[in-house]
Structure formats: C-alpha cells, structure tokens
Amino acid sequence: MRRARLLIFAKPPRMGLAKTRLAAGMGRTEARRIAHFTLARTMRAVRACGLDAALYLAPDRALDETLGGIWPPFLPRFSQGPGTLTERLGKGLADSPNGPVLFIGTDAPDISAAHLHHAVRALQRHDAVFGPAEDGGFWLFGVNKRPDLPPLFDNVRWSGPHALADVRANLPSSARLALLQTLQDVDDRNDWKRWSRNKLR
C-alpha cells in the first residue's frame, strides 16, 4: 500500500479571517489568540507524526507567509483554491494519488501524532476512517482513494451536527468504516469554555 498522505487545511490566525464564529462571541483579538493556539498545537502533532504531509492554505497570500515558523518549512504548500469547502476538499482529494489520504483542519487542540498514526493504521484495514467531533462533525477524515470513488463531499451540511453523517452517506454502502477517538472542535465561545474547563479538571 502507498504511504498515507496527510492534507492539513488551514488559515493564518489573522483577525477577521480565522475563527469568525469565535470572534462573534469573544472578540477578534481573543479569537486570533485561540486560532494561533490551536494552529500551533496541530502543527506540533504534524511535525511529530512523520507522515507525508502537505499544507492546503487560504487565502493564497498565506502561501508565502512563515507565521514565525508555525508553518513547518519542510511541508509543501498548496492553495485551497476558490469555492466552497466542498470544492476545496475535493481539490485536495483530486490532487492526491490513489491510496490512503487523510484530511484534518486546525480546530481540535487535542489532536496528537498518536491520533494520526491510529488513522493510518485504520486505513490499512478499512476503506475510510473518521475522527468524530463532539458537535457531530469530524476532526479527521481519511479514505483509501481509488478511481471509482463517488464525490465524497457533495451536499454535506458543513459547520453543523450533520457533517460526519453526510460524508458517511456519500461513501459506498459496502465501505468498511473505522472510528477514532471523539475530540472537541473549538468553533465558538461555548466550545472554548468547555475545552478550557475540561483541561483544568
């Protein structure tokens, strides 16, 4: 089996660009700080995992930024491209060769290299893998890409409780699925308060 490819979909932690729902509840300055925090933790996991990884960035001007070294310099960078999240994820999948492909964002601060390695191992025995998020979405999706796959991201209700179920419904009915540990995404003020409270226990 070809080595797994990890695609990280990210935006710079810039006011007015990242964490807009969080900014609505906590202010733009605090939202930027949290976006920087979750991005840095995700990149730490990516550095430690040693997988064949690539950054898919938006907007395009982020391709030339360093963010003080937060974007790992050894990772190739690609534009997410225009359009909806459905179209941007579809571009990432189309760019990847056949074989295991993993997608993550930067909203789950508890993601670790161990989680990513578990996902790779799951794809050795399954057709697809999800890392469920507490809100009904997912912090990771992986699939063994092959030429006859249907469009996996069409008609998905993103940023809500149906995202995982909608992607799952697009997979072939015969697909063997694996589920990883459920993690919390940080999308709004309540998410951040809940995550922070859990860390203090």
Side-chain angles (χ1 to χ4, degrees), residues 1-2 93 97-101 120 122-129 141-149 152 171 176:
M1 178 180 288
R2 187 184 63 81
L93 186 61
N98 289 336
V101 183
V120 171
L123 282 181
Q124 293 172 357
R125 305 181 302 277
H126 300 83
D127 300 303
V129 59
F141 171 64
V143 66
N144 279 308
K145 180 184 174 183
R146 59 178 193 262
D148 60 343
L149 272 182
L152 298 179
L171 290 163
R176 298 165 297 164

Side-chain angles (χ1 to χ4, degrees), residues 68-196:
I70 289 183
W71 298 142
F74 58 87
L75 291 184
R77 304 177 187 186
F78 301 94
S79 169
Q80 290 186 17
T84 64
L85 182 56
T86 289
E87 293 169 317
R88 288 179 276 135
L89 291 174
K91 175 183 181 296
L93 186 61
D95 288 349
S96 301
N98 289 336
V101 183
L102 304 170
F103 298 80
I104 61 170
T106 62
D107 294 332
D110 289 324
I111 191 171
S112 69
H115 288 124
L116 299 174
H117 285 299
H118 289 159
V120 171
R121 287 196 293 271
L123 282 181
Q124 293 172 357
R125 305 181 302 277
H126 300 83
D127 300 303
V129 59
F130 288 96
E134 291 182 358
D135 61 3
F138 50 89
W139 55 268
L140 177 145
F141 171 64
V143 66
N144 279 308
K145 180 184 174 183
R146 59 178 193 262
D148 60 343
L149 272 182
L152 298 179
F153 306 116
D154 284 3
N155 302 311
V156 174
R157 291 166 285 181
W158 300 109
S159 302
H162 308 291
L164 188 154
D166 288 347
V167 174
R168 186 171 186 166
N170 286 334
L171 290 163
S173 58
S174 60
R176 298 165 297 164
L177 304 179
L179 294 178
L180 304 178
Q181 179 183 355
T182 299
L183 300 180
Q184 184 183 335
D185 274 347
V186 174
D187 294 316
D188 57 29
R189 180 184 180 185
N190 289 334
D191 292 340
W192 177 249
K193 289 174 66 176
R194 186 166 60 252
W195 185 85
S196 300

Side-chain angles (χ1 to χ4, degrees), residues 43-54:
M43 291 299 101
R44 184 172 65 190
V46 170
R47 282 186 173 95
C49 75
L51 296 176
D52 175 20

